[in-house]
Amino acid sequence: MHIKIPWSIGLLAQAACSYGKLEPNYTSPSGVQIFNPSTFFNTTGPWSLMSIAGDTLYISGRVVILGSNCFLLTCRPGMRGIYPSNSTLAPVGLTRVRQAYQNMAALAEMAGSDVNSCVRLVVYVTDMFRYRPMCNQAQVEIWGDDPSRYPPRTIVEVGRLNDDDIVEVEGTFYLGRSA
């Protein structure tokens, strides 16, 4: 049994932005737009919450993956279970996992997309056995019970996330327009 939650209620009111009002913090000479909406949580380093290149929206997913020899393989900024209202982490467990997905969905809507235009998810967890079922539940709450609507997802177990977090979600969305 799972419970449907109105994930967009409150989050979109918090964001109070549509793409028409959302202004990029920076636009590159080639037209890539970088966004850090002031209505969202503060980033904790030299990264941005999202970018738009052409008709594709990229929402961050931060992770440090260490290989068997402890070499840094990749590092990206991330969509975490942080409350946008006060930049604090949600409680560990389903609440935090759900918040990470809700943050990603709210940013997609702010940029003029929606969860049904998600073309790919990458999810990083620190304990696959414990957090994968919670990720599955959060995705069903957002995308519904119809498996034909679920975006492709890669889920990776990592040794550690920023601030000893448990989950980070990275999303790529189609905007359906040219920039």
Side-chain angles (χ1 to χ4, degrees):
M1 178 177 156
H2 48 89
I3 300 167
K4 300 273 187 182
I5 60 163
W7 60 267
S8 60
I9 295 173
L11 286 176
L12 296 178
Q14 258 175 238
C17 260
S18 67
Y19 182 73
K21 296 179 185 174
L22 187 63
E23 294 292 326
N25 296 82
Y26 172 77
T27 302
S28 76
S30 62
V32 175
Q33 298 175 317
I34 306 296
F35 297 87
N36 280 308
S38 61
T39 55
F40 237 72
F41 62 80
N42 301 321
T43 58
T44 57
W47 57 279
S48 297
L49 292 172
M50 63 183 169
S51 64
I52 295 175
D55 59 3
T56 305
L57 168 67
Y58 302 91
I59 297 177
S60 64
R62 177 183 184 158
V63 64
V64 175
I65 301 173
L66 299 176
S68 58
N69 294 327
C70 294
F71 292 114
L72 180 68
L73 300 177
T74 184
C75 181
R76 289 176 256 183
M79 193 45 46
R80 299 169 55 201
I82 297 175
Y83 293 124
S85 61
N86 61 14
S87 294
T88 61
L89 284 167
V92 171
L94 181 58
T95 302
R96 187 175 301 174
V97 170
R98 186 180 283 140
Q99 187 66 46
Y101 279 91
Q102 290 171 347
N103 288 344
M104 180 193 62
L107 284 170
E109 290 209 11
M110 288 173 68
S113 191
D114 60 55
V115 295
N116 295 313
S117 296
C118 184
V119 296
R120 182 167 191 238
L121 291 174
V122 180
V123 180
Y124 304 96
V125 295
T126 55
D127 183 333
M128 187 72 73
F129 180 77
R130 185 172 177 191
Y131 298 121
R132 182 177 171 271
M134 293 179 199
C135 291
N136 291 345
Q137 181 177 340
Q139 284 186 227
V140 169
E141 290 171 359
I142 290 174
W143 278 277
D145 289 324
D146 181 357
S148 65
R149 298 181 70 127
Y150 301 155
R153 178 187 80 183
T154 300
I155 187 166
V156 180
E157 182 173 326
V158 297
R160 189 170 183 193
L161 293 168
N162 188 46
D163 294 331
D164 292 319
D165 207 347
I166 61 169
V167 65
E168 293 191 10
V169 182
E170 177 181 297
T172 304
F173 293 80
Y174 179 65
L175 293 171
R177 61 171 174 75
S178 295

